[in-house]
Amino acid sequence: MVRLTMDLIAKNASDKNRSEEDFGQYLQKITHLNLSDKNIDSIGDLSFCKNLRVLYLYDNHINQIQNLDFASNITHLYLQNNHISSIENLSSLKKLEKLYLGGNYITVVEGLDKVGELRELHIESQHLPLGEKLLFDPVSLNSLVKSLSVLNISNNNIDELEELAVLENLSYLKAVDNRLKHMKDLKVVLKQWTKLRRIDLTGNPICRKPKYRDRIIVQSQTLESLDGKEIQEMERRFLMNWKASRAARKKSNERMTDEHAAYVQF
């Protein structure tokens, strides 16, 4: 296995970079570093890379997030398909906007309470113990209330979304291939997500419910796309009119029933 160190960066740096300037200066200037698929199993000292903004470490064998205290300027961190089991040691990444952790071994979404600017969290397809689902730490969720706009939690055995209702700025939720099945629970979160534009629930049991698409479109006035299919304004208008007409008929029937009951009593 390989440890991510300055030496590894030097080996992957082009001859051009090494010949034209001192390697130390190169490290200080570098903003993007791609070391994906290099058999890396641990992150070593990268403290010279103070201007690093985007770090690609996906498709490796990393088992712990560590030694990123230097990385106060990082905005994008790609750690998909590693062996990571815990979200930790991210408190110094104050500018982190996008975090990619899909395909790891994480069981609880935690350790994000100090990452205040996170806009996107991709944590799909975790290798979970048999029968378990991905859990969410309330402290981390509360820290993401104002910032998080994109969340990918696909393929994580999730059976309800209610605890995610606090994410008031969510604009895109991808929750494909989970175990969501109750329309009532979905209505609760859709009422809270007033900025939601896209949601993808493909592959969940709820998709087989009668009038599934119609009911969601009526419930969310901001939604523009459902399960990858655009919602046309004419479609929404038709469904809203149908809902209003149905409510009016119900109210009229109730009034007639009350009047009939009053007449009988008279």
Side-chain angles (χ1 to χ4, degrees), residues 200-218:
D200 195 343
L201 303 175
T202 306
N204 281 275
I206 197 172
C207 299
R208 299 192 291 271
K209 296 280 185 181
K211 296 189 180 298
Y212 154 76
R213 180 177 173 87
D214 295 352
R215 293 165 74 181
I216 290 180
I217 292 173
V218 166

Side-chain angles (χ1 to χ4, degrees), residues 87-153:
I87 305 174
E88 58 187 342
N89 301 322
L90 294 175
S91 59
S92 297
L93 279 59
K94 301 297 185 184
K95 296 181 181 179
L96 187 63
E97 296 178 2
K98 299 183 181 184
L99 178 58
Y100 294 82
L101 288 167
N104 278 287
Y105 292 77
I106 296 163
T107 57
V108 182
V109 176
E110 59 186 349
L112 297 173
D113 47 300
K114 297 291 194 299
V115 187
E117 299 299 320
L118 195 65
R119 293 193 290 110
E120 296 189 17
L121 175 60
H122 301 263
I123 193 158
E124 71 282 0
S125 302
Q126 297 303 308
H127 299 278
L128 298 164
L130 187 64
E132 292 192 17
K133 65 179 180 179
L134 184 67
L135 301 175
F136 297 87
D137 168 44
V139 176
S140 285
L141 281 180
N142 286 331
S143 71
L144 301 174
V145 164
K146 300 292 185 183
S147 64
L148 199 69
S149 61
V150 176
L151 178 60
N152 185 350
I153 52 172

